[in-house]
Amino acid sequence: MKKLFSLVMMMLPMMGSVCMAQNIQLHYDFGRHIYSDDEAGRQTATATFEHFRADKLGSWFYFIDLDIDNKGMAGAYTEISREFNFYKPCDSGAFAAHVEYNGGLSRGAGSFQQASLLGAAWNGHSADFSKTYSIQAMYKQFFGDNTGRSGYASFQITGVWGLTFASGKCTFSGFADLWSEKAWWGGRHLVFLSEPQIWYNVTPHFSVGSEVEVSSNFIYSGQSGKNDKFYVNPTLAVKYNF
């Protein structure tokens, strides 16, 4: 999963402008080699499309992850969010209302349990926008589905960051999520997921880099992974910015 791919773009509504940005990423995943027993069924690669659009009221953001293995398309996951700003132009830190939908499909596990989120975000940046961040606290509602899973209330805390350095040639960005979930293997657990990314920006449009997925209890039924340990799954990636 990916989050707000450019927090600099997220801050531009402060200036009352309308802007749009999007990119495509392709990640080769090494997880199935590192955890050959636990994650033997993990995807070979993930293709990600991200889109951001700002307006005078706030911003829209969505991404689509397409997981690919040696049999073809293994799954698809999406998150769509809308923020409504409550700040003045060029504020370095301010609140926004955050609304979000999460859902997707997996070849091995059927559908991901869909969820909606509602809460507040605190967004900020440095004077030159080289450092950006967002902290979100949200109520999370999981919905029932045709597999027999019932809906239930939960929560999610999210942090997102972005750092551009080396005269704009390097970008360090990512997110960290913590939420409560009724797991398929039984019981209710805290789930942690973080995906820091490092990019070398070869041109304004083309970047090469890596993402590292760090997770605990983030196990779906297509995996045989253990829920009592952390997994660290690195990728080798390229990105094209439109």
Side-chain angles (χ1 to χ4, degrees):
M1 289 193 296
K2 311 300 183 293
K3 295 284 181 180
L4 303 170
F5 66 93
S6 175
L7 286 175
V8 172
M9 298 303 296
M10 184 179 70
M11 297 302 165
L12 288 180
M14 297 178 180
M15 304 174 188
S17 62
V18 176
C19 59
M20 183 178 70
Q22 53 193 9
N23 70 55
I24 293 177
Q25 303 174 22
L26 181 62
H27 293 258
Y28 180 82
D29 198 299
F30 293 95
R32 70 192 190 286
H33 302 300
I34 298 173
Y35 306 100
S36 57
D37 293 328
D38 291 355
E39 295 192 324
R42 188 176 176 86
Q43 69 270 13
T44 303
T46 298
T48 298
F49 176 74
E50 296 180 320
H51 179 92
F52 174 89
R53 184 176 181 85
D55 53 47
K56 293 181 179 180
L57 296 178
S59 61
W60 286 98
F61 171 77
Y62 71 85
F63 74 81
I64 302 172
D65 275 350
L66 301 176
D67 290 334
I68 305 163
D69 61 18
N70 57 8
K71 296 180 181 179
M73 193 66 63
Y77 177 82
T78 186
E79 292 186 5
I80 304 170
S81 65
R82 170 72 192 187
E83 288 201 349
F84 297 94
N85 299 332
F86 296 103
Y87 44 71
K88 297 177 181 179
C90 297
D91 283 352
S92 60
F95 280 111
H98 185 98
V99 183
E100 185 175 323
Y101 164 81
N102 302 342
L105 297 171
S106 172
R107 184 178 61 213
S111 64
F112 291 91
Q113 191 163 12
Q114 301 178 81
S116 62
L117 300 92
L118 175 64
W122 177 259
N123 302 322
H125 61 89
S126 61
D128 62 356
F129 289 90
S130 63
K131 303 177 182 68
T132 57
Y133 65 87
S134 177
I135 301 172
Q136 303 157 16
M138 296 169 286
Y139 168 83
K140 187 171 188 176
Q141 178 64 48
F142 286 93
F143 299 108
D145 58 26
N146 58 10
T147 67
R149 292 178 294 190
S150 59
Y152 59 93
S154 185
F155 73 91
Q156 181 168 308
I157 300 171
T158 294
V160 190
W161 71 88
L163 173 64
T164 302
F165 58 100
S167 301
K169 298 299 291 184
C170 296
T171 301
F172 176 59
S173 59
F175 74 90
D177 286 339
L178 180 69
W179 74 91
S180 175
E181 182 173 316
K182 291 182 179 179
W184 64 270
W185 62 85
R188 190 155 182 163
H189 305 268
L190 284 176
V191 182
F192 175 78
L193 175 66
S194 182
E195 293 184 357
Q197 295 182 342
I198 185 71
W199 297 101
Y200 177 74
N201 305 312
V202 181
T203 72
H205 293 287
F206 180 71
S207 304
V208 296
S210 177
E211 175 184 277
V212 180
E213 180 192 275
V214 182
S215 66
S216 175
N217 287 332
F218 186 62
I219 302 296
Y220 57 88
S221 58
Q223 293 177 288
S224 58
K226 312 300 189 299
N227 63 300
D228 58 351
K229 71 177 185 180
F230 275 85
Y231 289 86
V232 180
N233 296 297
T235 75
L236 183 62
V238 292
K239 177 172 67 172
Y240 185 82
N241 297 297
F242 292 93

